[in-house]
Amino acid sequence: MIKLHGTPLSPYYNKVKVGLLEKGVNFQEVLTSPSQEDWLLEKSPMGKVPFVEINGHPVAESTVILEWLEDAYPTASLLPPTPNGRALARELMTMLELYVMAPSGPLVRHMVKGSRPEPAQCDEIRQGIARGISAVAQLAQQRPWLAGEDFSFADISAASILPLVAKLSQGFLGEDMTLRLSGCGEYLQRLGGRHSVARVWADRDASLAALMARRD
């Protein structure tokens, strides 16, 4: 049995969860917050979530977990069949995480705290997200998936990151920055048509609603 530790509010947790659902693997979700407590550091050395326990063996970092899943369950592949295609899927996944999600990080913290960023910070964040979206747009295939014909790591990251960035940028920056990616609306509709993504989005929305209710 695989135990997935983390929270549905985390795009990286949701990335792993989509992967598990796509692979058809039985798993148990364990609500876990990041911390520096000894027990958690023994399983995730930086105290981060998500991490998984595979029959008691811990594995941390979302991309490493996806790669483990691909090695352990290769028949339901989440990477294209060619070396160039696999590289593109990994490249897009990395760009989404480093250059789209990472610049949005301050907005996540403001959302959780119920605060608002200063105008100068908003401008900096907008510029960072715009650069990241532009880089993704340069490589995105959308035929029909981000790296081409095959649903892949790139789409799993996109499903976890783009809706969150859309919500954050619309709420704090006054613009849905993801719309700078041509065809993003139709692409998200295709993503939402997959059972794995639809379930993860529903669980995420329920957790976000619960957070807002507690804050109110």
Side-chain angles (χ1 to χ4, degrees):
M1 170 65 74
I2 296 176
K3 292 183 179 180
L4 171 61
H5 292 258
T7 168
L9 294 175
S10 163
Y12 303 104
Y13 176 91
N14 291 333
K15 168 184 164 185
V16 173
K17 187 172 172 180
V18 171
L20 287 163
L21 290 168
E22 285 285 335
K23 292 288 188 180
V25 178
N26 289 326
F27 67 98
Q28 175 187 352
E29 297 183 71
V30 183
L31 188 62
T32 306
S33 298
S35 80
Q36 296 298 302
E37 295 182 24
D38 289 343
W39 76 269
L40 198 149
L41 292 173
E42 290 178 1
K43 301 176 185 297
S44 177
M46 291 299 292
K48 295 165 57 179
V49 295
F51 66 90
V52 295
E53 292 182 275
I54 306 159
N55 295 324
H57 175 74
V59 178
E61 301 296 335
S62 61
T63 296
V64 175
I65 298 168
L66 278 191
E67 294 284 4
W68 180 91
L69 282 169
E70 189 67 11
D71 288 340
Y73 301 93
T75 52
S77 182
L78 294 174
L79 286 170
T82 67
N84 286 353
R86 295 163 84 88
L88 178 60
R90 290 180 169 110
E91 190 176 9
L92 283 161
M93 173 180 65
T94 302
M95 285 187 164
L96 282 162
E97 293 176 7
L98 293 183
Y99 308 126
V100 178
M101 190 62 236
S104 307
L107 300 181
V108 174
R109 292 187 284 275
H110 282 291
M111 179 183 70
V112 171
K113 293 178 181 178
S115 58
R116 298 199 67 85
E118 295 294 329
Q121 187 182 26
C122 286
D123 290 341
E124 181 180 353
I125 293 169
R126 182 181 289 105
Q127 291 174 18
I129 297 173
R131 286 187 64 194
I133 292 288
S134 178
V136 170
Q138 183 176 333
L139 295 179
Q141 305 292 304
Q142 295 196 39
R143 297 196 317 264
W145 303 112
L146 211 59
E149 296 179 359
D150 303 284
F151 184 86
S152 71
F153 285 6
D155 303 293
I156 292 176
S157 282
S160 305
I161 288 170
L162 290 179
L164 176 59
V165 172
K167 180 180 181 64
L168 292 169
S169 59
Q170 182 68 59
F172 289 104
L173 307 179
E175 175 192 355
D176 180 352
M177 300 289 291
T178 67
L179 296 180
R180 298 191 182 198
L181 177 63
S182 179
C184 186
E186 294 83 357
Y187 171 62
L188 289 175
Q189 286 183 346
R190 289 196 294 275
L191 283 174
R194 294 186 78 89
H195 170 73
S196 62
V197 175
R199 174 177 162 183
V200 167
W201 284 358
D203 292 346
R204 175 206 62 199
D205 291 347
S207 293
L208 181 59
L211 172 67
M212 295 303 180
R214 291 195 298 271
R215 199 175 70 189
D216 293 341

